[in-house]
């Protein structure tokens, strides 16, 4: 899907004109709310106030956008900017401008601290956060009320609730999407709730840590092995399908991000949201996810890119995008405005989780390779006959090799 946004009011001569190119991901779920419309409005507004600048935006689905940017870079046609899922590999290859070379001091200072840190490679920020979300445990209020249940705060309570829901014929007592679409998210949420993570406190991969092995052994034995995760094997269940099943009223519990509120609400599902249960109590750390803006040096438009991005990251525009797609702001000013606004009350539970949320190790250039391996293999850890320790051990070997190669 490509939107070519024509220039408005260009008064400089041809030598003075600048065309900025941006490749962006589509956050919409239909043509009616495609991100194309958001960028169309934004570019038109910017162009009307900046003679001599034209902004051309191409919008692609999440299935295609990362690959499209890779193809453009390989062909020597890197866009000025890309808004996609990962930045570190491009930064490591010296292809990106540091944020310091682009943004005003006020814009940089407005980014939430954990995103600044996550956007760094070797202590230099190249990735500029664009959109964020956290995860909460969604539960179907109707199914819970019918079974006389309360939302779980521990793993044992979650398993007990799942058993009760299964006894009442619920199709997916707990939906566990470890399929190739986004297994890395469900995996990390469970690792965090068990006191583990993808990396240790030194930033070294630790996928096969004792905590992680215990977490997936519990999942295999207490949920999957007892038939509490539904008719589709976790390794074959994708997030989109799990969300759709929840919206159809077929799921008792699952981890979800803010967009699920709209999806379920449209279908009339009454739902509640609570922090992810932990091994012995509520999990202290939620999964945080951010998507990234980056600027390529190829075309040498640092000054114009920086001015446009200062406009993109204004409080008004960050709020508009976050509200349109049920996402969380990446700037402090927009987060404070959202927290105080009645219209954003539904997002406040996610905003509350954001300051302490843990992000993927996106600053590691090896992360893309590790995430791909998790997507392919993690479902095997909970499959019949599978070994969590063996699968996590193989993933650790892959991660260690990828880190050494970089």
């Amino acid at each position: 899907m490509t939107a070519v946004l024509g220039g408005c009011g260009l008064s400089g001569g041809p030598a003075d004109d600048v065309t900025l190119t941006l490749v962006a991901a589509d956050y919409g779920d239909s043509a009616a709310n495609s991100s194309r419309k958001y960028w169309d409005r934004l570019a038109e507004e910017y162009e009307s106030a900046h003679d001599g600048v034209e902004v051309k935006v191409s919008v692609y689905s999440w299935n295609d956008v990362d690959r499209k940017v890779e193809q453009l870079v390989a062909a020597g046609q890197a866009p000025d900017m890309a808004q996609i899922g990962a930045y570190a590999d491009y930064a490591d290859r010296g292809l990106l401008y540091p944020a310091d070379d682009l943004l005003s001091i006020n814009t940089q200072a407005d980014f939430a601290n954990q995103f600044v840190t996550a956007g760094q490679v070797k202590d230099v920020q190249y990735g500029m956060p664009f959109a964020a979300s956290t995860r909460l445990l969604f539960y179907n209020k109707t199914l819970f009320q019918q079974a006389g249940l309360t939302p779980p705060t521990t793993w044992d309570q979650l398993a007990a609730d799942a058993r009760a829901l299964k006894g009442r014929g619920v199709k997916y007592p707990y939906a566990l999407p470890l399929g190739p679409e986004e297994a890395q998210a469900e995996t990390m949420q469970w690792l965090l709730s068990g006191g583990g993570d993808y990396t240790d406190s030194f930033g070294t991969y630790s996928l096969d840590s004792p905590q992680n092995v215990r977490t997936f052994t519990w999942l295999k034995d207490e949920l999957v092995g007892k038939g509490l995760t539904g008719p589709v094997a976790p390794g074959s269940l994708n997030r989109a399908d799990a969300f759709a099943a929840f919206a159809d009223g077929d799921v008792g519990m699952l981890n979800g991000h803010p967009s699920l509120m709209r999806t379920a609400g449209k279908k009339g599902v009454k739902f509640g949201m609570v922090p992810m249960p932990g091994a012995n109590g509520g999990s202290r750390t939620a999964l945080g996810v951010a998507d990234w803006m980056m600027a390529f040096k190829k075309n040498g438009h640092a000054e114009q890119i920086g001015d446009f991005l200062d406009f993109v990251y204004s409080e008004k525009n960050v709020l508009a995008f976050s509200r349109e797609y049920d996402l969380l702001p990446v700037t402090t000013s927009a987060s404070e405005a959202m927290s105080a606004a009645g219209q954003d009350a539904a997002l406040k539970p996610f905003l509350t989780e954001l300051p302490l949320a843990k992000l993927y190790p996106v600053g590691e250039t090896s992360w893309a390779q590790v995430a791909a391996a998790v997507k392919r293999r993690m479902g095997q850890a909970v499959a019949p006959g599978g070994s969590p320790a063996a699968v996590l051990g193989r993933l650790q070997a892959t991660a260690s090799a990828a880190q050494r190669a970089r």
Side-chain angles (χ1 to χ4, degrees):
M1 182 186 306
T2 303
V4 179
L5 307 174
C8 301
L10 303 180
S11 58
D16 299 323
D17 292 351
V18 172
T19 298
L20 297 178
T21 55
L22 166 63
V23 175
D26 195 352
Y27 290 79
D29 55 12
S30 67
N33 72 337
S34 168
S35 297
R36 172 179 180 170
K37 293 187 175 182
Y38 172 82
W39 287 111
D40 196 341
R41 292 192 300 267
L42 205 68
E44 183 177 357
E45 182 179 348
Y46 183 81
E47 289 172 345
S48 68
H50 295 80
D51 287 352
V53 179
E54 180 182 11
V55 181
K56 291 185 176 180
V57 184
S58 301
V59 177
Y60 297 89
S61 76
W62 274 108
N63 292 329
D64 302 320
V65 67
D66 290 304
R67 182 172 63 254
K68 181 62 179 179
V69 173
E70 289 176 4
Q71 291 171 347
L72 289 171
V73 171
Q77 300 172 355
D80 291 296
M81 295 162 283
Q83 184 272 299
I84 52 178
Y87 68 88
D89 181 63
Y90 297 120
D92 188 60
R93 289 153 59 188
L95 301 179
L96 302 182
Y97 284 114
D100 285 346
D101 292 354
L102 302 170
L103 303 175
S104 69
I105 293 174
N106 288 340
T107 297
Q108 275 194 278
D110 202 20
F111 289 136
N113 287 335
Q114 73 263 48
F115 298 126
V116 173
T117 301
Q120 295 176 347
V121 172
K122 298 177 182 177
D123 299 321
V124 177
Q125 184 182 1
Y126 296 95
M128 293 162 279
F130 183 75
S133 69
T134 55
R135 304 295 166 96
L136 293 170
L137 182 75
F138 282 67
Y139 65 96
N140 185 309
K141 281 187 172 182
T142 302
L143 297 178
F144 266 62
Q145 289 170 355
Q146 291 172 349
L149 303 175
T150 57
T153 60
T154 68
W155 288 357
D156 286 344
Q157 291 171 359
L158 186 150
D161 287 349
R163 287 194 297 271
L165 292 167
K166 181 182 179 182
R168 297 184 63 86
V170 175
K171 190 173 182 180
Y172 294 90
Y174 178 85
L176 182 66
L178 294 177
E181 179 190 2
E182 203 189 32
Q184 81 280 6
E186 184 74 12
T187 295
M188 184 168 173
Q189 186 65 78
W190 277 98
L191 298 184
L192 292 171
S193 72
D197 197 350
Y198 283 120
T199 59
D200 60 22
S201 58
F202 300 102
T204 302
Y205 285 110
S206 57
L207 281 91
D208 61 348
S209 69
Q211 300 98 312
N212 293 346
V213 172
R214 283 196 299 269
T215 294
F216 267 80
T217 299
W218 186 90
L219 273 173
K220 181 177 185 295
D221 293 345
E222 302 300 326
L223 287 188
V224 182
K226 294 184 178 178
L228 302 179
T229 54
V232 179
S236 299
L237 181 64
N238 282 323
R239 182 202 63 185
D241 295 327
F243 278 19
F246 186 84
D248 288 337
D250 292 331
V251 175
M253 298 171 281
L254 84 170
N255 285 316
H257 54 60
S259 71
L260 182 56
M261 295 189 299
R262 181 179 299 189
T263 303
K266 286 180 179 178
K267 292 288 192 75
V269 173
K270 296 180 180 179
F271 60 87
M273 302 174 297
V274 295
M276 174 68 181
N280 300 304
S283 178
R284 293 188 298 273
T285 307
L287 167 65
V289 178
D291 301 320
W292 301 93
M293 180 73 75
M294 64 210 70
F296 288 90
K297 296 189 291 187
K298 173 72 175 176
N299 302 316
H301 295 150
E303 181 179 353
Q304 293 86 357
I305 292 170
D307 190 70
F308 177 66
L309 289 179
D310 281 340
F311 172 72
V312 168
Y313 284 109
S314 67
E315 179 183 318
K316 178 190 73 170
N317 290 328
V318 172
L319 275 174
F321 188 87
S322 301
R323 286 167 171 164
E324 176 68 24
Y325 298 106
D326 292 323
L327 292 165
L328 304 182
V330 295
T331 61
T332 301
S333 60
S335 292
E336 291 175 348
M338 183 174 277
S339 295
Q343 74 182 90
D344 301 310
L347 285 170
K348 287 183 180 178
F350 295 95
L351 281 169
T352 299
E353 295 287 308
L354 189 58
L356 297 177
K358 185 72 181 290
L359 279 70
Y360 302 129
V362 290
E364 293 287 342
T365 55
S366 55
W367 169 241
Q369 184 177 345
V370 174
V374 170
K375 291 178 182 181
R376 288 195 308 271
R377 301 177 188 167
M378 205 65 237
Q380 300 169 11
V382 296
S387 166
V391 171
L392 288 167
R394 288 195 294 272
L395 288 170
Q396 176 63 30
T398 296
S400 297
Q403 200 166 37
R404 287 193 301 270
R406 296 293 184 174

